[in-house]
Amino acid sequence: MSRKLVSSGSYLEPVIGFSRAVRVGNIVAVGGTAPIKAEGGTAAIGDVYGQTRRCLEIIAKALTDAGSSLEHVTRTRIILTDIALWKDAARAHAEAFATVRPVTTLMQVTAFVDPDWLVEIEVDAVIPD
């Protein structure tokens, strides 16, 4: 079975030694995706909704690069530094997945690598045969 590595160009990929997404067969896994602007730095500082939208944009591109799309997503994990802000993250998630309706977990962590990040998202996708 072939293995395809997808990079998003994040400055952290070579530092940590990871790929944004990995496709093996018809399975695509997208790792913890932070709200990094295309030109670097953090998108939507202080805005969980805006950061969640940016994470989902990066994820959508990674899925496309892996030959998949948001419609193939079966699981999402929304990871927040403040669970009280879950509704803002959920609103952006619902906009992206209104018809897909993957299983989802919302959780809180104490911090991310960059203190400006309020959210990271992971997804798993299965591409139909």
Side-chain angles (χ1 to χ4, degrees):
M1 198 171 293
S2 66
R3 178 181 172 99
K4 180 176 183 173
L5 307 179
V6 175
S7 172
S8 65
S10 167
Y11 69 95
L12 289 172
E13 289 176 19
V15 173
I16 298 171
F18 76 97
S19 296
R20 170 64 39 230
V22 176
R23 177 178 176 172
V24 178
N26 68 333
I27 305 293
V28 181
V30 182
T33 302
I36 299 173
K37 294 189 287 189
E39 63 277 7
T42 301
I45 292 175
D47 175 9
V48 171
Y49 173 78
Q51 287 193 7
T52 303
R53 285 180 47 98
R54 178 61 185 144
C55 292
L56 292 168
E57 289 170 1
I58 296 166
I59 288 166
K61 170 89 168 67
L63 288 168
T64 298
D65 291 350
S68 184
S69 70
L70 291 176
E71 73 183 50
H72 300 138
V73 171
T74 58
R75 174 184 301 276
T76 64
R77 293 169 199 87
I78 304 168
I79 309 159
L80 300 158
T81 56
D82 182 353
I83 201 69
L85 302 175
W86 74 270
K87 287 183 182 178
D88 292 329
R91 181 167 51 103
H93 183 275
E95 290 169 3
F97 294 109
T99 59
V100 178
R101 307 269 313 261
V103 297
T104 295
T105 301
L106 282 150
M107 66 188 96
Q108 178 175 309
V109 297
T110 56
F112 292 118
V113 171
D114 185 320
D116 287 333
W117 300 347
L118 304 174
V119 62
E120 281 195 23
I121 301 174
E122 299 179 339
V123 308
D124 299 316
V126 178
I127 302 166
D129 294 330

